[in-house]
Amino acid sequence: VGDYTYNLAREFARHGHEVAVVCRADARIRTDYEDIKVFPVVKRWDFGAARPIVRLVRELGAEVVSLQYVPHGFHPKGLPFPLIHVMREVRRTGVRVQIFCHEVYVPFQGGMKNRVISFLTSRVTQGILKYCDSVATSIDYYKRMILGLHPRNRNVGVIPIASNVPECPLGENERILLRRKIADDNETIVAFFGKRDIETSMQALRNLIQKGYAIKVLFIGKVTEKTNDVSLPCYKTGVLDLKEISPYFQVADILVLPENDRFGCSFKSGSLIAGMRGGLPVVSGCGLLTSSSLEHGKNIIFADFENVAQLERVLKPLVEDSDMRRRIGENARMQVQNISWVNTCAQYESLLNS
């Protein structure tokens, strides 16, 4: 959410808006930007947080306040009840209030403890939404949750999360050299991005390699400790600067993003957008959060990441068939071509003007 707010703020500034970001007081937070103002003035997200925010709203002559809401970002247990008071006080200044829900509340599933937490987190969100003029979220599933809490506001915008990975196109010679550095025997490069549970994926790939398939595993960015025990031919980039990530997407053949089949992959994931935008066939999970526009075999490949044999079956044709990879990757690119920070900003503006 921090990356999202950073990119969104700077995109608004590029469109000629004056932008101020209010966040918690922390010496590590950078404030010296030329295009936006950053105010780390909130000591704790308690009832007292309203005072410095309201003061800034008045001093800056703000016209709109946008809350980037994720429950656990404001309270360790996802129960920031004081935020209801904060947003009530902000609204009393006369500004227009826009809320973007990165999450809404804990789904009402599971045992009694989970149901109590679900009820409480939903009450917090419901209380906050009372003070908004417009509300948006990233996926249709969350929109339905919001409408269940806030039915009087039918104008809930759905704005997918643009990737924070900037596109840095490689020249053909650069691409060839980087690919050779990773897979010098021209193996099929299967990439993983970020910290995820990769155990079943590794076993499926291990099985394919034992059957004679030439595969090189590419770990992009910060990964889990378990990758140190991977007994597979692999290449690890280590932690990268954001601008260094895109080239690795351009040389990979397949991107695997393990997700469980309860929630699945979704357009709240910048990693998914980055892979699809790069024209990669993505292998991931399908669940409650997955958009109906993601179609297995057309613009994505769905797999059960608890089933090694099934994972092996879906990976095998991708490894074998470069035309299949190209077709799915191109469809993926077309599916997400309009998910960008420019369009995100335009959608925010449209909501604010509606």
Side-chain angles (χ1 to χ4, degrees):
V1 178
D3 279 341
Y4 181 91
T5 304
Y6 168 81
N7 283 290
L8 180 64
R10 303 197 81 179
E11 193 62 46
F12 264 100
R14 277 191 283 271
H15 283 70
H17 300 282
E18 292 182 48
V19 184
V21 178
V22 180
C23 55
R24 63 188 175 88
D26 189 318
R28 295 170 296 179
I29 293 173
R30 179 184 165 190
T31 60
D32 58 333
Y33 296 98
E34 293 182 2
D35 51 351
I36 61 175
K37 298 174 182 176
V38 179
F39 296 94
V41 295
V42 177
K43 293 181 180 178
R44 287 183 300 276
W45 286 105
D46 55 15
F47 291 96
R51 194 174 301 109
I53 296 173
V54 166
R55 183 175 65 250
L56 276 171
V57 166
R58 289 177 172 148
E59 287 177 359
L60 298 170
E63 297 170 279
V64 176
V65 169
S66 177
L67 171 66
Q68 298 298 315
Y69 181 62
V70 56
H72 287 84
F74 294 92
H75 187 273
K77 295 184 178 179
L79 298 170
F81 279 100
L83 202 56
I84 300 172
H85 166 76
V86 172
M87 297 316 296
R88 180 171 62 240
E89 294 303 300
V90 168
R91 181 64 179 271
R92 284 177 175 172
T93 66
V95 298
R96 295 165 64 197
V97 175
Q98 193 276 332
I99 296 176
F100 188 92
C101 291
H102 291 270
E103 293 174 1
V104 185
Y105 59 86
V106 175
F108 192 70
Q109 296 175 348
M112 182 58 68
K113 180 179 178 182
N114 191 78
R115 293 185 177 212
V116 170
I117 292 172
S118 175
F119 174 77
L120 292 174
T121 54
S122 69
R123 296 286 77 79
V124 177
T125 306
Q126 188 176 51
I128 291 168
L129 291 175
K130 287 197 304 185
Y131 301 105
C132 72
D133 295 289
S134 63
V135 58
T137 189
S138 55
I139 55 176
D140 290 325
Y141 182 79
Y142 285 168
K143 176 178 179 175
R144 293 192 292 272
M145 293 175 78
I146 292 169
L147 290 174
L149 295 176
H150 197 52
R152 68 179 177 83
N153 188 346
R154 293 291 171 184
N155 186 27
V156 178
V158 176
I159 307 172
I161 304 295
S163 176
N164 66 340
V165 177
E167 291 186 89
C168 304
L170 289 177
E172 185 58 21
N173 286 339
E174 292 175 303
R175 194 190 71 80
I176 291 171
L177 287 172
L178 181 57
R179 186 176 175 87
R180 284 178 181 166
K181 180 180 176 182
I182 296 166
D184 55 0
D185 287 330
N186 201 32
E187 303 99 321
T188 300
I189 299 176
V190 180
F192 292 82
F193 181 40
K195 299 181 71 173
R196 295 172 183 271
D197 184 350
I198 61 168
E199 283 193 59
T200 54
S201 303
M202 290 297 98
Q203 187 57 54
L205 290 170
R206 193 175 290 112
N207 292 349
L208 289 171
I209 290 171
Q210 288 172 353
K211 292 175 181 178
Y213 290 93
I215 295 170
K216 192 69 170 280
V217 180
L218 169 63
F219 293 109
I220 305 172
K222 190 174 183 179
V223 293
T224 63
E225 294 289 333
K226 291 181 180 179
T227 60
N228 293 326
D229 302 323
V230 172
S231 56
L232 288 170
C234 66
Y235 182 97
K236 301 175 187 178
T237 69
V239 177
L240 299 169
D241 184 87
L242 278 173
K243 292 180 181 178
E244 298 173 322
I245 295 173
S246 174
Y248 291 97
F249 281 100
Q250 294 171 60
V251 297
D253 295 303
I254 301 165
L255 176 65
V256 181
L257 296 175
E259 296 285 0
N260 63 52
D261 59 5
R262 180 185 177 193
F263 294 111
C265 67
S266 72
F267 289 146
K268 62 177 282 187
S269 167
S271 299
L272 175 64
I273 300 299
M276 294 179 70
R277 184 189 65 192
L280 285 170
V282 177
V283 179
S284 196
C286 181
L288 290 172
L289 308 186
T290 305
S291 169
S292 60
S293 67
L294 292 173
E295 299 180 47
H296 176 72
K298 180 181 178 182
N299 51 27
I300 196 167
I301 295 293
F302 291 131
D304 178 357
F305 283 88
E306 294 184 359
N307 187 326
V308 173
Q310 199 263 355
L311 258 175
E312 186 180 340
R313 285 196 300 273
V314 300
L315 285 167
K316 179 183 172 182
L318 284 173
V319 172
E320 291 176 329
D321 192 342
S322 61
D323 288 336
M324 180 184 181
R325 296 198 300 266
R326 194 175 300 111
R327 172 177 54 80
I328 294 174
E330 187 55 36
N331 288 339
R333 191 201 311 275
M334 295 295 291
Q335 182 63 46
V336 301
Q337 63 181 337
N338 292 323
I339 301 177
S340 65
W341 289 108
V342 172
N343 287 336
T344 297
C345 183
Q347 288 174 282
Y348 267 80
E349 291 175 326
S350 177
L351 267 177
L352 292 170
N353 292 327
S354 61

